[in-house]
Amino acid sequence: MANDFRRKNRHVVPNFRQLTDTVLLGEVDSAGTAVPESVPIDFRSRISEWDAERSTGLAADIVSAALVSGQSGQPVIDEAADFIFANPGMCSSSLISAAQRVRYRDASMSQPTVQLPRLATFLESNSRESIYRTIHVLKNAVSRFGGDPILFAELARCYMVVGNEERARRNIAIALSLSSSNRYVLRSAARLYAHFDDAEQGFHLLRRHPLSRHDPWVASAELAMAGLVGKSHMVMKDAHRMLSSGRFSPFSLTELHAGVGSVDLLSGDRRKSKRRFQAALQKPNDNSLAQVEWGLSEERLFDVDLSSYNVSRNYEALALEAFNQQSWTSVLDHCESWLMDQPFANGPAMMASHVASVVLDDFKAAQLFCEASRLACPNDPQVANNYAYALALDNQPVKAFRVLDQHRLSAVEDSRTRVCLTATRGLACFRAGRFEEGRERYRSAIDAAKGVGDRNYLQTAILNYIHEELIAEQQLPAFFADEIRDLQIDPRAASTQVLKEKVVARLDAAALSFDGRSSRDGA
């Protein structure tokens, strides 16, 4: 069975994008307090490199360095920007916008329309090779420019994309050692540690950092890390003080408002949560808007129209909204953009593969999303489960077993994921014609689901099991259709309702006759 992608608790974990994109989104601008420590940039060595050889790669490096250091007016910066303008076919729209910003210092420009790679292109072999070419270029830049923390942060991000945890950690550690008080580096480090299931280290890094008391962007990251490790109470006082100080712009506070509102929501304080979410929407970014959409899907405190917000890279929130509106193909479209924007995140692949498999019966699309996610998350049992589920539904049980065999059930900590892996193995057994073994696996999954404390998991396991019995044309009690019809599905679990309707339709079509077995015998 497919993992329920919906997160019980979403946290406003910072996004980790290329520096150029992050700057254009306004997330490294002054928050209205002391500007974070400037990143040390060696322009002298860049000038000598530029005089020797002019290329779009070096021009991009100079422009990015100028953005993060806040420098402008130097001839080498203007020349690099002009070089980008003269070669638009070789540059991304983000890079062209960055060049415009450093050349003309126009911070009021509208956000660029970014042309992201699509899923099929991303999965082509040359796409992965492209990432390694980028790593090679960055390594050469490190050898030329030495102690530039941004280069090491970007290396860490690239290694995250290809799933190399050791080198990603090593490079972010170097970036931190070179510029320990830079907002971009700190937030990138927090995202990296959360990605590698080490939120404790991210929390420890930010908890002891003085910038967490003065910069709302860093404070928001600290609150997210605290939530992941169950220590939100330790930072709420500082967060409230910052929110009420009157020293920061609404945009600088948007993620912190959304984070505090989520803590209030989970503690049952609807009034405070509503106020914080509304404050977050005064000037949201993509992360805070997704957080509010998640919160409102848990508790409908008020209605919000996402189309009324001009927020760049707002793919996650749009995907969540499309799911809540049951606009299923739109879910896949937005998840594709979300995955291409943040290729190391497993969220878009989980949501898209779930909808593609359970609702749309588009098993090939589900496989593509999981294959893309497994590049960066090769050891993620949730993604592996959804991949095996799509393969089995596509009548490829041998491949499904091969994926499942990579994850020992005893090594999987999350109880929900263990339920899914067990049920998916049952599915693969059914599709391989091993019906008795399939029944035994499903019985184990259903029994385990009863202990999870989540009714949707139990219902989904039962529905998947009955679905396989019907496809295998096995005999079931006549009254079983009534029991399935009587299942009360959580309105938020719209995809489970679709699965239920599919099973009921098969039950009705089968015209089953009672064979004396109780419903418990089959589960």
Side-chain angles (χ1 to χ4, degrees):
M1 65 188 249
N3 262 298
D4 185 351
F5 68 89
R6 296 174 303 160
R7 283 177 271 190
K8 183 178 181 181
N9 298 330
R10 186 191 188 276
H11 302 279
V12 196
V13 177
N15 290 322
F16 189 178
R17 297 185 173 101
Q18 293 180 0
L19 174 65
T20 301
D21 294 335
T22 306
V23 171
L24 288 172
L25 292 171
E27 295 175 11
V28 298
D29 293 343
S30 172
T33 183
V35 179
E37 174 191 297
S38 297
V39 176
I41 299 294
D42 180 8
F43 273 99
R44 290 175 300 178
S45 59
R46 283 174 168 80
I47 291 172
S48 62
E49 290 280 339
W50 182 250
D51 289 339
E53 177 186 2
R54 303 195 173 194
S55 65
T56 53
L58 184 55
D61 182 70
I62 292 171
V63 166
S64 296
L67 282 171
V68 76
S69 65
Q71 297 191 46
S72 62
Q74 292 194 39
V76 68
I77 297 173
D78 292 343
E79 289 173 10
D82 290 340
F83 187 88
I84 290 170
F85 300 149
N87 296 275
M90 302 172 64
C91 304
S92 67
S93 57
S94 291
L95 180 56
I96 293 171
S97 296
Q100 289 173 334
R101 179 161 177 164
V102 299
R103 186 69 170 90
Y104 305 113
R105 307 310 297 173
D106 184 359
S108 64
M109 292 167 49
S110 60
Q111 300 296 343
T113 300
V114 180
Q115 298 299 316
L116 297 169
R118 309 322 294 168
L119 196 61
T121 302
F122 181 78
L123 279 168
E124 292 175 0
S125 60
N126 62 356
S127 177
R128 192 171 177 85
E129 291 170 2
S130 175
I131 298 172
Y132 279 107
R133 284 198 298 270
T134 300
I135 290 173
H136 179 71
V137 170
L138 288 168
K139 285 184 173 181
N140 287 339
V142 165
S143 66
R144 296 198 310 267
F145 304 132
D148 188 333
I150 300 305
L151 294 175
F152 287 102
E154 179 60 12
L155 272 170
R157 193 188 70 85
C158 288
Y159 280 122
M160 285 174 66
V161 173
V162 296
N164 192 323
E165 178 177 354
E166 179 183 358
R167 293 193 177 183
R169 283 178 173 272
R170 182 191 309 162
N171 280 280
I172 203 66
I174 296 172
L176 286 167
S177 68
L178 292 171
S179 186
S180 62
S181 293
N182 177 264
R183 179 196 299 164
Y184 173 75
V185 174
L186 283 170
R187 283 168 56 86
S188 298
R191 179 65 179 88
L192 182 145
Y193 292 135
H195 175 73
F196 291 122
D197 295 323
D198 193 7
E200 191 70 51
Q201 183 168 350
F203 177 64
H204 179 68
L205 168 69
L206 299 179
R207 184 59 182 161
R208 58 187 173 86
H209 203 287
L211 206 57
S212 296
R213 313 284 87 77
H214 306 288
D215 187 327
W217 292 99
V218 179
S220 171
E222 180 193 20
L223 179 59
M225 295 299 104
L228 288 171
V229 298
K231 298 178 181 178
S232 298
H233 62 283
M234 295 179 62
V235 302
M236 286 291 283
K237 183 177 180 180
D238 289 332
H240 280 294
R241 185 175 65 249
M242 195 172 292
L243 290 173
S244 61
S245 69
R247 295 187 293 127
F248 307 104
S249 69
F251 182 65
S252 297
L253 293 175
T254 182
E255 288 193 5
L256 191 58
H257 273 302
V260 171
S262 299
V263 175
D264 291 334
L265 179 68
L266 294 172
S267 66
D269 196 326
R270 291 167 48 90
R271 181 179 60 84
K272 287 183 179 179
S273 179
K274 178 180 178 180
R275 188 170 69 247
R276 293 301 180 194
F277 283 157
Q278 289 174 331
L281 292 175
Q282 290 181 33
K283 188 70 175 176
N285 67 354
D286 66 294
N287 200 7
S288 62
L289 201 55
Q291 187 71 20
V292 173
E293 179 66 23
W294 166 83
L296 296 182
S297 68
E298 294 294 308
E299 192 77 41
R300 206 67 194 175
L301 303 174
F302 56 91
D303 292 325
V304 59
D305 178 11
L306 294 188
S307 64
S308 65
Y309 295 93
N310 183 22
V311 176
S312 184
R313 308 287 184 101
N314 187 25
Y315 310 124
E316 181 183 358
L318 291 172
L320 286 168
E321 182 183 54
F323 181 89
N324 292 332
Q325 295 177 351
Q326 301 182 36
S327 180
W328 303 119
T329 56
S330 293
V331 171
L332 299 196
D333 290 340
H334 294 312
C335 282
E336 184 179 29
S337 296
W338 179 13
L339 181 59
M340 295 303 93
D341 183 41
Q342 300 179 61
F344 48 79
N346 72 353
M350 293 297 296
M351 183 188 297
S353 62
H354 178 98
V355 169
S357 294
V358 177
V359 178
L360 299 175
D361 293 334
D362 191 343
F363 311 129
K364 297 299 185 187
Q367 291 165 41
L368 283 176
F369 273 99
C370 291
E371 287 166 6
S373 185
R374 278 164 64 84
L375 292 175
C377 308
N379 300 316
D380 189 321
Q382 293 181 320
V383 176
N385 172 80
N386 281 20
Y387 187 34
Y389 183 71
L391 288 168
L393 288 173
D394 198 28
N395 292 314
Q396 300 183 65
V398 175
K399 289 185 178 180
F401 283 128
R402 194 176 301 140
V403 173
L404 292 169
D405 288 344
Q406 296 171 9
H407 297 271
R408 289 186 300 106
L409 208 60
S410 59
V412 177
E413 296 182 3
D414 182 65
S415 58
R416 289 172 172 79
T417 303
R418 289 198 300 271
V419 169
C420 292
L421 287 166
T422 303
T424 298
R425 189 172 287 275
L427 165 63
C429 287
F430 264 95
R431 294 304 173 104
R434 292 149 48 182
F435 300 144
E436 284 304 322
E437 183 180 353
R439 292 187 183 101
E440 184 58 35
R441 296 289 184 179
Y442 269 118
R443 289 191 187 100
S444 296
I446 291 169
D447 288 341
K450 293 175 182 177
V452 167
D454 187 327
R455 186 178 63 175
N456 184 57
Y457 271 81
L458 177 59
Q459 292 175 334
T460 303
I462 292 172
L463 288 169
N464 273 277
Y465 164 61
I466 299 303
H467 187 259
E468 290 310 302
E469 290 279 19
L470 292 168
I471 286 179
E473 299 182 345
Q474 300 297 297
Q475 192 175 26
L476 290 169
F479 62 81
F480 216 105
D482 292 333
E483 291 192 0
I484 295 298
R485 283 194 187 91
D486 290 340
L487 285 178
Q488 297 299 309
I489 307 297
D490 186 335
R492 294 172 297 179
S495 55
T496 307
Q497 179 63 36
V498 172
L499 178 59
K500 172 189 169 181
E501 291 168 1
K502 289 180 180 180
V503 173
V504 170
R506 283 188 175 274
L507 282 166
D508 291 343
L512 297 173
S513 60
F514 179 62
D515 66 354
R517 292 188 298 164
S518 71
S519 61
R520 298 300 177 212
D521 292 334

